[in-house]
Amino acid sequence: MKFYSTRGFGPVSGAEAIVKGLADDGGLFVPEIFPEVSLDDLADMAALEYPERSAYVMSKYLTDFSYEELLEITKKAYARFDGEAAPVTKVDDGLYLLELWHGPTLAFKDIALTVLPYLLTGSKKKLGIDKKTQILVATSGDTGKAALEGFKDVDGVEITVLYPAEGVSDMQKKQMITTEGKNVHVLGVNGNFDDAQTAVKKIFSDPEMKKKFSDLGYDLSSANSINFGRLVPQIAYYFSTYCDLLNAEEIELGQLVNFVVPSGNFGNILAGYYAKRMGLPVQHLIVASNENDVLTDFFSTGRYDAQRPFHKTISPSMDILVSSNLERLVYEIVDRDPKKISDMMSRLKEFGFYNVDEDTLYDKAPEFLGYSCTEGETKDTIDNFYDDYSYLLDPHTAVGVTAFFKYLDEVYDDTTPTVVVSTASPYKFPQSVLEASCHVTEKDPIKAAKRLSKMTSTEIPEAIAGLNDKPILHNKVVDKADIPVSVLSFVGGKK
Ligand SMILES: *Cc1c(COP(=O)(O)O)cnc(C)c1O
C-alpha cells in the first residue's frame, strides 16, 4: 500500500507516512485505495479477539508490517487496558454505547496512542533510521496525556505536549503535569487549542526549524490525529463493534448500522468513514458537536467557516474550530484532486473559510449528518440518561447522545441499530458529571470524583484515584510567540 499527501506529495510507504506524520507540503497522508473487507471476512473477524481484529484491519493498510508483527503490537498495547479494549454495551433496543475509555488515560485516544509508539519505532527500524524522534503534540486535553503515557521512556524518542493553559479540564491538566518519564515535556500555552495546533503545524512546515532539530540529532514527528498511525488503529473498533453486535445477535450480517461520534478534530469519525469505504455496512455517520458547531454547519451547507466565536465548554476535547482530519474527507469529496485541496487549505489559512459545492458534498458524502448541542442540552442528557438507564455519561459522550436524539426527532422512523461512540470515562470530568447528574457543586476534581463515586455507587478508576499524591513536574507556561524556542530548548540540553 502506498500513501499520498492530500496536497500531492508522494508516494511513500506506510512506515514513511508514520515517521513523517505530516507530509512536507503540509498535507495529510492518505492511502492510495481503500482495501476491501467482505462480509465473509467480517464473519471470520467476529470469531477473533480484539487485538487480532485490530491487527487484521491494520495489516490491510500497513503492508510493510506483517500480520504477526502487528498482532504482537496490538497484544502489548491492549494488555494495558482494564479488560476489553472496545466493549459494546446495550442501553436500549437498537441503542448501544461503544466504550473506548478503558485504557490508561480513560479516553478513546488510548486506543491509538498505546499502539503508535510501537508503530513508530517499528517503522524507523524498517527504514533504517537511527536518528532520534521529537514528537510534538498539540492537545485539547485528552491526546496530551494519552501521548505522554504511550511514549514515556520509549528509547530514541522525546515527547513534547503543548496544551492551552486555560482550555483543558482540571483533571486533564493534573494528569499531564504529573507525568513522569525521562523523555517527557509538557508546555502550557497562553491561547486556545487552535493556537497550540497552529504553532505545531508551523514548526513542522518550517524548514529552518526542521534543520535546527536535525542538527541536534532529531527528526520531527507528530502524534496528533493527523498521523496515519493514529487513524488506522481507530478503524478497527468500527469493525469490532459490528462483530460484537453480530455475536450478540443484535444484527444480521450485512445489516446497516449508524454510528454517532462526538467530534472535534474529526479523527474518530473519519476512521468510521474509512471503515465504511472498506465495506462495513454503515448507514449514517452522525457528527456530534458542542457549541463549537463548525462541523454541523459544514455538513449542512458545504461551507467550512472557522471565523466564529470560540466557546469553552464542559466537553473541552471537542472545543475546536479547525478540524484537521476533515481535509482527508474533503480530499475524497473533490475526487482526490490535490490542487483543489491546496487551494482550499490556503484559503482557510488566509481567510478562515472554504467552500465545498453543496450538491457535490451530498453526492459524495451522503452518510454524514451533523448535529450540535448547547451546554444546557448536554447537562440535561447526562441527568436524564442517568435517571433512565443508571448509566453515567461523560460530557463528550453526552453530546453524542444528544445528537442522536436530535437525529431521531428529524428521522423519526429510523430503526437502524445505532452505536454512540463513548469517548471518555465520566470520571475524567467529575465536576461536570457530578453537577449534571447529582446536582452537587464541587470544584476540586478529586473530591468531585469521590462524591460521584459515593452518590452513584460506581468505582473511581485507578488512573485518577492517586493523582492528588503525585508531584507537579511540569509547570512552564509560555506565549504563542515563544513556543519554538521553548520546544527547541527541550532537546537542546537546557531544561
Ligand atoms: C479527542 C476527543 C474527542 C474528539 O475526537 P476527534 O477525533 O478529535 O474528533 C471527543 N471526545 C473525547 C473524550 C476526546 O478525547
Side-chain angles (χ1 to χ4, degrees):
M1 177 76 72
K2 293 190 178 72
F3 292 81
Y4 289 89
S5 161
T6 48
R7 304 186 196 175
F9 175 84
V12 300
S13 68
E16 285 172 286
I18 288 168
V19 168
K20 277 185 170 298
L22 196 66
D24 291 341
D25 58 10
L28 278 61
F29 286 112
V30 287
E32 58 182 338
I33 53 152
F34 291 107
E36 235 172 274
V37 173
S38 68
L39 291 183
D40 284 345
D41 296 335
L42 251 179
D44 291 344
M45 214 191 291
L48 305 177
E49 303 280 331
Y50 191 80
E52 296 169 314
R53 291 175 185 171
S54 175
Y56 174 76
V57 171
M58 290 207 286
S59 70
K60 297 267 174 188
Y61 288 98
L62 304 179
T63 49
D64 28 12
F65 287 79
S66 70
Y67 171 77
E68 286 71 27
E69 284 175 307
L70 291 168
L71 183 59
E72 205 185 310
I73 290 173
T74 54
K75 275 188 173 163
K76 274 193 277 193
Y78 298 129
R80 296 186 64 191
F81 281 57
D82 184 10
E84 288 284 308
V88 179
T89 304
K90 180 174 181 168
V91 284
D92 209 335
D93 281 341
L95 178 60
Y96 311 86
L97 288 171
L98 164 61
E99 295 179 354
L100 296 178
W101 41 264
H102 296 282
T105 76
L106 312 177
F108 97 94
K109 311 276 193 308
D110 287 328
I111 299 264
L113 282 164
T114 50
V115 168
L116 186 64
Y118 296 113
L119 291 181
L120 182 75
T121 44
S123 298
K124 280 170 72 179
K125 207 176 264 173
K126 284 180 194 298
L127 298 170
I129 297 172
D130 47 20
K131 248 194 180 154
K132 291 188 213 162
T133 305
Q134 164 67 52
I135 300 276
L136 267 186
V137 181
T139 185
S140 56
D142 292 330
T143 302
K145 180 60 178 177
L148 292 165
E149 280 303 313
F151 281 99
K152 78 174 177 201
D153 295 328
V154 172
D155 283 339
V157 176
E158 293 285 321
I159 171 153
T160 299
V161 167
L162 305 175
Y163 70 94
E166 303 303 328
V168 298
S169 83
D170 296 339
M171 188 70 91
Q172 289 174 323
K173 187 164 168 179
K174 226 181 224 314
Q175 281 185 309
M176 286 191 281
I177 63 180
T178 56
T179 310
E180 292 155 11
K182 59 182 191 305
N183 60 340
V184 159
H185 314 281
V186 183
L187 193 60
V189 175
N190 291 317
N192 61 31
F193 169 70
D194 292 307
D195 294 325
Q197 177 161 262
T198 304
V200 166
K201 282 188 181 166
K202 222 167 163 177
I203 292 174
F204 275 110
S205 56
D206 179 353
E208 222 171 283
M209 279 300 278
K210 223 171 235 181
K211 171 141 193 336
K212 283 182 183 163
F213 275 104
S214 181
D215 291 346
L216 292 163
Y218 287 88
D219 280 334
L220 283 174
S221 190
S222 160
N224 271 104
S225 59
I226 47 177
N227 191 315
F228 193 78
R230 278 280 301 276
L231 192 59
V232 71
Q234 294 176 186
I235 302 169
Y237 51 71
Y238 288 92
F239 282 97
S240 178
T241 300
Y242 197 90
C243 292
D244 286 349
L245 292 178
L246 272 179
N247 288 345
E249 297 183 356
E250 294 289 328
I251 57 169
E252 283 172 24
L253 188 61
Q255 193 179 341
L256 294 171
V257 298
N258 294 325
F259 285 96
V260 186
V261 188
S263 294
N265 222 0
F266 207 70
N268 193 346
I269 199 162
L270 183 81
Y273 172 77
Y274 273 45
K276 180 171 194 269
R277 291 294 301 264
M278 292 167 75
L280 191 70
V282 172
Q283 180 188 236
H284 284 129
L285 290 166
I286 297 163
V287 187
S289 301
N290 61 26
E291 288 175 352
N292 296 294
D293 53 359
V294 61
L295 288 167
T296 317
D297 289 350
F298 173 73
F299 285 105
S300 58
T301 65
R303 182 180 169 88
Y304 191 94
D305 192 345
Q307 301 162 286
R308 59 181 68 211
F310 178 88
H311 298 283
K312 261 176 70 167
T313 73
I314 58 168
S315 46
S317 300
M318 297 155 67
D319 291 348
I320 289 175
L321 294 180
V322 180
S323 302
S324 300
N325 269 295
L326 190 65
E327 181 168 339
R328 286 187 165 114
L329 176 66
V330 175
Y331 181 70
E332 303 301 330
I333 292 172
V334 300
D335 281 332
R336 303 194 148 215
D337 182 341
K339 175 77 178 56
K340 277 190 186 154
I341 294 292
S342 301
D343 289 348
M344 289 161 107
M345 295 306 143
S346 323
R347 189 170 267 276
L348 177 66
K349 203 165 165 187
E350 199 168 339
F351 305 110
F353 73 92
Y354 61 82
N355 287 299
V356 173
D357 174 64
E358 211 177 321
D359 291 335
T360 314
L361 173 64
Y362 299 138
D363 188 38
K364 296 282 180 183
E367 57 275 86
F368 282 96
L369 290 168
Y371 297 92
S372 57
C373 54
T374 64
E375 292 289 272
E377 288 172 326
T378 307
K379 291 174 188 169
D380 285 347
T381 297
I382 295 175
D383 195 12
N384 297 335
F385 211 78
Y386 184 62
D387 286 348
D388 292 346
Y389 302 111
S390 303
Y391 187 103
L392 277 179
L393 295 170
D394 100 282
H396 304 76
T397 310
V399 169
V401 170
T402 309
F404 172 60
F405 290 149
K406 290 192 176 195
Y407 166 79
L408 276 189
D409 272 349
E410 220 173 85
V411 198
Y412 61 90
D413 57 348
D414 186 26
T415 54
T416 309
T418 298
V419 181
V420 178
V421 179
S422 175
T423 50
S425 157
Y427 279 99
K428 203 155 183 181
F429 306 92
Q431 301 107 308
S432 309
V433 176
L434 180 70
E435 179 138 17
S437 61
C438 305
H439 312 283
V440 170
T441 307
E442 170 56 69
K443 286 221 163 68
D444 180 82
I446 301 290
K447 280 187 193 152
K450 285 185 179 150
R451 290 200 70 170
L452 188 63
S453 170
K454 211 172 234 167
M455 293 184 77
T456 62
S457 304
T458 53
E459 224 169 286
I460 304 182
E462 228 169 272
I464 56 171
L467 267 186
N468 254 4
D469 306 327
K470 292 197 166 173
I472 292 170
L473 302 173
H474 314 273
N475 51 13
K476 198 167 172 184
V477 177
V478 298
D479 288 331
K480 280 185 272 182
D482 298 327
I483 291 171
V485 174
S486 298
V487 169
L488 263 174
S489 75
F490 289 142
V491 293
K494 284 178 286 170
K495 288 247 170 178

